[in-house]
Amino acid sequence: MTDDVTDRRAELIAAALASELTPDEVAELDALRAEDPTIDADLADFGVILGSVRSVEMWDEDAPTSELAARVAGIADDTSASEQGADASVVAPVDRAGDGSRRRPTRVGRFAFAAAAAAACVAIGVGGGVMLATPAAPPSGPAGALGAVESVSFDGEPAGVEVDGDVIAHTWGTETVLTIDGLPVGDVYDVIVLDGSGREWSAGTFLGSEVTIDCTMNASVLRPDAVQVQVRAADGTKVATAALPSVAG
Amino acid sequence: MTVMTTRPTPEWSAMGAVESEFDLSVAFAEHGPSLLGFAVNALRDRPLAEDCVQETFLRAWRSRSGFDADRGSARTWLFTIERNVILDVYRARRRTPTLVPAEHAGELAAEESDPLERLRIVEALARVSPEQREAVVAVHLTGLTYQEFSDASGVPVATLRTRVFYALRAMRGHLEGVDND
């Protein structure tokens, strides 16, 4: 197929998806479809994708600010960020009060999620009535703070496998939230939380999948006692390991 | 309102024995706009999106020795990192109490039934070229005809049509896990 034919095929498919074919183009596309069944496959696939695109409803195309560029460029200059393996367990707050006075971390890497920036919401009162309430801020604090999301870095994954996760301290134990890509479909994996004595606490199991795995698991070991999270294959082989920051006593 | 996260001391794999060449400024210039677009449109919160982009480059910088160009492009690598950063935000949001009147609780559950599916399509759209995305957005989100967008942009209709076609083809590749970045 020549470039001209390829481009014309592309044009006609795009026009069809927007319902903008002229009568002559309808006939032209029908003739092409008779010779090339992949056109119907493209129309079907792209129609599904456009359905999903429309559900996005709007698109913000703002360019990065020079301030953001400077913040990113500054990462290389920051000692703690530059040194691979540097201790980055210290946290610092980012004030996102929304009044324009938001402070940026003085040291990069102190990423602070401000997920509670939602507007005031409504709570159900005891008597069934409705009252305005200010949304509760997500729990925050240093490593081990109850309810706070601690991002952890996993290492040691085999080629093609990526594991990312968080841990959350609870009164009943330690929650591990994992995002995993690339593990063989159907293979069984264990998630283990280790305490300082080396004792292993099972957090649960999952199966490898061809799509991204997003799972939450719980281990009955308190966060201050937990020192490491491991993902292991069924034969015990370590797939990924994350060291947890120590919790101040 | 803040949530502070902590990060452990990374342990570097053998794969990182040879430090790869990763220039932050170059990477930001090439991929920063797309990464910001992904975060802004996934989160609908510009300041938070900027924090996500900064965190993405920080994580990339810290693990630059583990980057292997043979396994994928820097663009694919950065998008993978950012996806995980955004998922962290989703998780934090999920833990934030969202209190609504009882009669609207069902609506809220329906709206948030599959945020990951929305994240996938936003990422796919963020990854195509700005020109391709502009055409998709104009015709299929804004609702312009190709002729109307051609009149406004000065780009021939035929070119706009092919841009949409190749955008959709690239998005299909991404959604099927076949990236051509």
Side-chain angles (χ1 to χ4, degrees):
Chain A
M1 196 179 294
T2 66
D3 288 348
D4 286 346
V5 172
T6 302
D7 283 349
R8 186 59 183 158
R9 176 185 183 279
E11 277 182 53
L12 292 171
I13 289 173
L17 290 165
S19 302
E20 290 189 20
L21 289 172
T22 65
D24 286 347
E25 287 176 331
V26 169
E28 186 181 357
L29 182 59
D30 283 344
L32 282 176
R33 288 170 60 204
E35 299 172 359
D36 180 2
T38 65
I39 290 176
D40 284 348
D42 280 352
L43 285 168
D45 289 352
F46 297 164
V48 171
I49 292 170
L50 284 173
S52 298
V53 167
R54 291 186 193 102
S55 72
V56 174
E57 295 183 349
M58 59 176 289
W59 189 265
D60 184 343
E61 192 71 48
D62 283 354
T65 61
S66 56
E67 184 211 356
L68 178 59
R71 285 162 58 190
V72 171
I75 290 171
D77 301 327
D78 185 273
T79 304
S80 63
S82 299
E83 293 174 2
Q84 298 185 15
D87 182 359
S89 62
V90 180
V91 295
V94 174
D95 179 4
R96 302 192 75 246
D99 59 0
S101 61
R102 182 162 59 109
R103 285 179 288 117
R104 292 295 179 192
T106 53
R107 297 173 68 198
V108 291
R110 312 295 180 250
F111 186 50
F113 293 125
C121 50
V122 179
I124 306 299
V126 174
V130 175
M131 61 184 181
L132 282 175
T134 302
S140 62
L146 289 175
V149 178
E150 299 176 44
S151 178
V152 296
S153 296
F154 281 86
D155 294 296
E157 301 102 311
V161 175
E162 182 132 3
V163 181
D164 189 75
D166 309 309
V167 296
I168 301 106
H170 294 284
T171 55
W172 41 260
T174 300
E175 179 182 1
T176 302
V177 186
L178 297 173
T179 303
I180 304 150
D181 283 301
L183 288 175
V185 177
D187 285 4
V188 177
Y189 296 89
D190 299 307
V191 178
I192 308 291
V193 179
L194 282 77
D195 66 21
S197 70
R199 182 175 175 182
E200 299 180 356
W201 302 80
S202 175
T205 63
F206 65 89
L207 295 171
S209 172
E210 62 185 5
V211 299
T212 300
I213 299 167
D214 191 24
C215 61
T216 299
M217 299 185 173
N218 300 310
S220 56
V221 55
L222 293 174
R223 174 65 187 87
D225 300 324
V227 298
Q228 194 177 80
V229 177
Q230 293 181 359
V231 177
R232 295 182 189 165
D235 64 0
T237 306
K238 292 179 192 172
V239 174
T241 301
L244 304 183
S246 60
V247 176
Chain B
M1 290 173 283
T2 63
V3 173
M4 284 159 286
T5 63
T6 60
R7 309 193 65 201
T9 301
E11 295 174 356
W12 304 102
S13 66
M15 187 172 59
V18 178
E19 187 164 313
S20 61
E21 293 181 7
F22 179 69
D23 187 307
L24 268 174
S25 296
V26 170
F28 182 79
E30 289 182 359
H31 311 300
S34 297
L35 292 166
L36 180 64
F38 178 24
V40 164
N41 290 285
L43 300 169
R44 297 284 182 223
D45 181 328
R46 173 67 187 239
L48 184 57
E50 290 189 353
D51 287 348
C52 282
V53 172
Q54 182 183 7
E55 174 70 6
T56 297
F57 279 96
L58 174 64
R59 292 188 189 182
W61 182 250
R62 284 196 169 137
S63 58
R64 62 193 183 280
S65 63
F67 171 62
D68 182 353
D70 292 336
R71 288 170 52 190
S73 69
R75 186 175 177 83
T76 296
W77 181 55
L78 288 166
F79 265 96
T80 300
I81 294 171
E82 185 169 56
R83 188 190 316 137
N84 289 327
V85 173
I86 292 171
L87 285 170
D88 285 345
V89 176
Y90 277 15
R91 289 169 187 145
R93 281 179 166 172
R94 205 163 55 198
R95 285 176 172 75
T96 304
T98 304
L99 306 175
V100 298
E103 61 268 29
H104 295 312
E107 298 169 15
L108 187 68
E111 286 172 5
E112 297 181 350
S113 59
D114 195 356
L116 295 183
E117 180 56 33
R118 183 177 184 281
L119 185 65
R120 290 178 73 231
I121 200 71
V122 168
E123 179 179 351
L125 191 53
R127 291 173 76 144
V128 302
S129 76
E131 295 79 12
Q132 291 174 345
R133 183 169 53 250
E134 183 183 48
V136 171
V137 169
V139 174
H140 292 285
L141 280 181
T142 306
L144 298 178
T145 65
Y146 279 107
Q147 188 60 58
E148 287 170 339
F149 187 47
S150 175
D151 293 342
S153 64
V155 179
V157 167
T159 303
L160 294 175
R161 286 178 172 184
T162 53
R163 283 180 182 174
V164 167
F165 173 86
Y166 289 113
L168 293 170
R169 197 173 69 170
M171 291 173 72
R172 179 175 62 185
H174 167 69
L175 293 168
E176 291 176 348
V178 184
D179 289 323
N180 298 308
D181 290 338

